Amino acid sequence: IGVVITAGVTGAAAKFFLEVSWLEGFLVGSIVGSTDAAAVFLLLHARGLRLKDRSRATLELEAGLNDPMAVFLTLTCVGLLTAGEIGLMVDGPWDLINGFLVQALGGILFGVGAGFGLLWLTNRLNIASGLYPVLAVAAAMLIFSITQEFEASGFLAAYLAGFVFGSRRHRATQLINRFHDGLA
């Protein structure tokens, strides 16, 4: 809901200040409608603020779930703009709602399932320690790709899989966390 409100307000401002159509304004709003968790944590860290674990986890989840909504809104606006008329892309608003539900629910199901599957696999594999971070990155790309093939949200699936996998202890927790801290 927050992404839609932010996209709407920003889109209205873009429509009037940039003198574009409503749909083009909403596209601009959709692009900037989500917050970036990395930016939020960088600002908090730069100010020396430490959040409690529950607050930090809630902020991470909220910031991460914004991105799939922003991607859906952006792709919808681009599709509508390139189609010229809504009738060329969809038969009505129910097709948009159905598309959103397929992407959201599919992303949730694939992501949570894949997260637990990766957790199970990691605890059963006995590979060289340097390969666990490679496994995690490869799994994220595979989860994203497979989910996209089923026309669900690969972004949401990869995020939730990482959230499930990263919030539970496993044999490679320290190795993978250290690798991702380096990437961040």
Side-chain angles (χ1 to χ4, degrees), residues 41-71:
F41 284 109
L42 177 69
L43 292 173
L44 290 174
H45 185 68
R47 300 233 186 258
L49 299 173
R50 289 275 190 235
L51 295 176
K52 293 180 181 176
D53 285 342
R54 274 183 89 159
S55 298
R56 184 177 53 79
T58 301
L59 184 59
E60 283 178 358
L61 182 63
E62 185 274 334
L65 292 177
N66 284 343
D67 292 342
M69 175 57 85
V71 168

Side-chain angles (χ1 to χ4, degrees), residues 5-126:
I5 292 169
T6 303
V9 170
T10 307
K15 194 255 187 280
F16 292 110
F17 293 121
L18 301 177
E19 298 178 1
V20 295
S21 71
W22 279 105
L23 192 53
E24 291 168 331
F26 195 61
L27 174 61
V28 171
S30 298
I31 291 169
V32 299
S34 70
T35 57
D36 186 48
V40 171
F41 284 109
L42 177 69
L43 292 173
L44 290 174
H45 185 68
R47 300 233 186 258
L49 299 173
R50 289 275 190 235
L51 295 176
K52 293 180 181 176
D53 285 342
R54 274 183 89 159
S55 298
R56 184 177 53 79
T58 301
L59 184 59
E60 283 178 358
L61 182 63
E62 185 274 334
L65 292 177
N66 284 343
D67 292 342
M69 175 57 85
V71 168
F72 174 77
L73 291 175
T74 300
L75 292 176
T76 299
C77 288
V78 168
L80 292 173
L81 283 167
T82 57
E85 294 180 13
I86 196 167
L88 295 176
M89 187 178 124
V90 294
D91 292 329
W94 292 114
D95 280 352
L96 288 175
I97 293 168
N98 185 46
F100 171 75
L101 289 175
V102 166
Q103 285 200 12
L105 295 176
I108 291 168
L109 291 174
F110 275 97
V112 171
F116 282 112
L118 183 59
L119 184 65
W120 178 86
L121 182 66
T122 302
N123 284 328
R124 276 144 188 84
L125 280 178
N126 191 11

